[in-house]
Amino acid sequence: MQTEKKDIRALSKDQLRDFFVVNNDKAFRGNQVYEWLWSKGAHHFEDMTNISKETRAMLEGNFVINHIKVDTMQRSEDGTVKNAVRLHDGLVVESVLIPTNTRTTACVSSQVGCSLDCNFCATAKLKRMRNLEPAEIYDQVIAIDKESRLYYNHPLSNIVFMGMGEPLMNYNNVIKAIDMITSNDGLGMSPKRITVSTSGVPKMIKKLADDEVKFKLAVSLHSAIDEIRSRIMPFSANFPLTELRESLEYWYKKTKSKITYEYVVWKDINDNTASIDALVKFCKHVPCKVNLIEYNPIDDGEFQQASEQSINAYIKALEANDIVAKVRRSRGKDIDAACGQLANKEA
Ligand code: SAH
């Protein structure tokens, strides 16, 4: 039986350079192979045409290149594209391309399933099976960039980590993937065009600040009242809002980057004055804006979108306090590609 070979893309550029030196070649060979693997997106060693046949065979003997495969691609009436992405071990995650008039945004997954347990989210029902590797996150972006060029005639303009999984529970791999996406060895995209969305893990938000990341942060708040929040997002009982708030204050102090709060208004849950007041108060601590996300029903019907009137009450209160609030209509609902609907239904 063959022993399992290592994915060559788990090696950093320096590690790859060292590998060639140890194997009696030049460090520079490492740069060439690295370029093939990342910026040229080679799927096979034999594609690396400026590398000698012997060297390619040697690489083949030592490593594999674990590329993702877009299994099925669905296109919504509104132009949204959803990819079911098969990983080398057969597991599947989903990523979404969201076009608007001025930009195309990739919504990518960071875990297979999710570590957390938000009651309103279809992905949470899958449980976490494993974390994605940096290359598996990077490949989702590359696949969507290709689709963006093909269908919309321009490269991908933005990336949001709002697909399956909790990015801050796969911290190192998400950071490595973003380093590759922003590096000139990879896509060379500006970190300002990337948003990481978290359900709010205070310790990891502080770590982001300490690591001086340059991308944007979004927090899925949904309630600024502990008792309600821990009912709809049970894990958050471990992270009281005061702790979350302190971590966000810390983030802002270090990064000077505004936070986006994601917030769904549900009937009989947070469509009341106490919830509105609590949100307004919470928003005053750190410069921010609020995205009011339309609810996308998942199968069990426990949650229902609040009335237009309740949403308007939120907007009015936030605006009266000079807090920018936007209503985000969902895209790709007909193909289960909207927020919280990613659940591998086709897999
Ligand atoms: N785990 C991360 C990113 C994934 S979810 C996070 O929690 O932020 C992306 C966004 O969709 C989050 O704001 C999440 O709360 C929201 N969401 C989840 N289920 C939803 C649903 N059924 N309808 C609308 N938004 C939902």
Side-chain angles (χ1 to χ4, degrees), residues 114 120-121 161-163 165-167 197-199 220 222 262 264 293-296 298 339-340:
C114 189
F120 46 82
C121 178
F161 280 76
M162 295 185 190
E166 167 50 49
S197 174
T198 175
S199 51
S220 303
H222 303 309
E262 295 154 280
V264 178
I293 313 176
E294 190 182 10
Y295 178 56
N296 302 304
I298 57 171
C339 290

Side-chain angles (χ1 to χ4, degrees), residues 59-292:
L59 289 172
E60 193 88 57
N62 282 280
F63 299 106
V64 286
I65 308 175
N66 281 336
H67 258 280
I68 63 158
K69 193 171 148 275
V70 176
D71 250 11
T72 46
M73 194 210 83
Q74 289 171 277
R75 259 187 111 177
S76 156
E77 299 163 346
D78 65 21
T80 302
V81 174
K82 182 169 85 169
N83 291 333
V85 168
R86 189 156 308 261
L87 310 171
H88 69 94
D89 56 3
L91 293 172
V92 176
V93 292
E94 292 174 335
S95 23
V96 182
L97 161 64
I98 308 151
T100 64
N101 291 339
T102 50
R103 50 162 88 161
T104 48
T105 300
C107 175
V108 297
S109 294
S110 56
Q111 298 181 313
V112 187
C114 189
S115 305
L116 304 177
D117 53 7
C118 304
N119 290 337
F120 46 82
C121 178
T123 308
K125 314 265 182 247
L126 298 175
K127 304 293 169 218
R128 186 197 81 105
M129 308 206 10
R130 72 168 171 86
N131 285 338
L132 293 189
E133 295 297 325
E136 292 171 329
I137 298 171
Y138 181 82
D139 285 353
Q140 290 176 65
V141 172
I142 296 295
I144 295 204
D145 181 50
K146 275 193 190 140
E147 288 166 351
S148 175
R149 289 167 198 269
L150 181 66
Y151 296 120
Y152 299 101
N153 294 316
H154 57 84
L156 183 64
S157 51
N158 296 73
I159 302 172
V160 293
F161 280 76
M162 295 185 190
M164 293 173 153
E166 167 50 49
L168 299 193
M169 299 293 239
N170 183 16
Y171 189 94
N172 290 340
N173 290 354
V174 166
I175 297 292
K176 276 190 198 158
I178 295 177
D179 282 349
M180 228 31 241
I181 293 164
T182 53
S183 142
N184 287 332
D185 284 328
L187 272 187
M189 188 184 248
S190 161
K192 294 270 166 273
R193 293 174 173 275
I194 301 175
T195 301
V196 169
S197 174
T198 175
S199 51
V201 189
K203 205 170 84 190
M204 303 319 277
I205 292 174
K206 282 191 173 167
K207 182 162 168 52
L208 285 177
D210 284 336
D211 289 345
E212 296 178 11
V213 299
K214 300 281 180 277
F215 49 77
K216 293 187 185 159
L217 184 64
V219 175
S220 303
L221 193 59
H222 303 309
S223 176
I225 298 175
D226 275 317
E227 188 262 321
I228 299 180
R229 194 163 191 263
S230 54
R231 190 148 41 89
I232 57 179
M233 304 164 81
F235 75 89
S236 75
N238 300 318
F239 309 119
L241 285 156
T242 46
E243 220 179 288
L244 178 60
R245 199 192 72 209
E246 275 165 25
S247 71
L248 296 171
E249 285 167 349
Y250 187 82
W251 158 273
Y252 188 77
K253 206 171 83 198
K254 288 232 162 177
T255 65
K256 293 283 169 285
S257 168
K258 264 192 191 180
I259 292 159
T260 300
Y261 294 123
E262 295 154 280
Y263 200 102
V264 178
V265 188
W266 289 284
K267 186 166 174 280
D268 299 334
I269 292 179
N270 54 2
D271 59 345
N272 51 52
T273 322
S275 290
I276 297 179
D277 293 347
L279 176 62
V280 168
K281 201 166 156 216
F282 194 87
C283 286
K284 288 192 174 163
H285 290 283
V286 184
C288 64
K289 65 172 182 178
V290 176
N291 280 348
L292 293 164

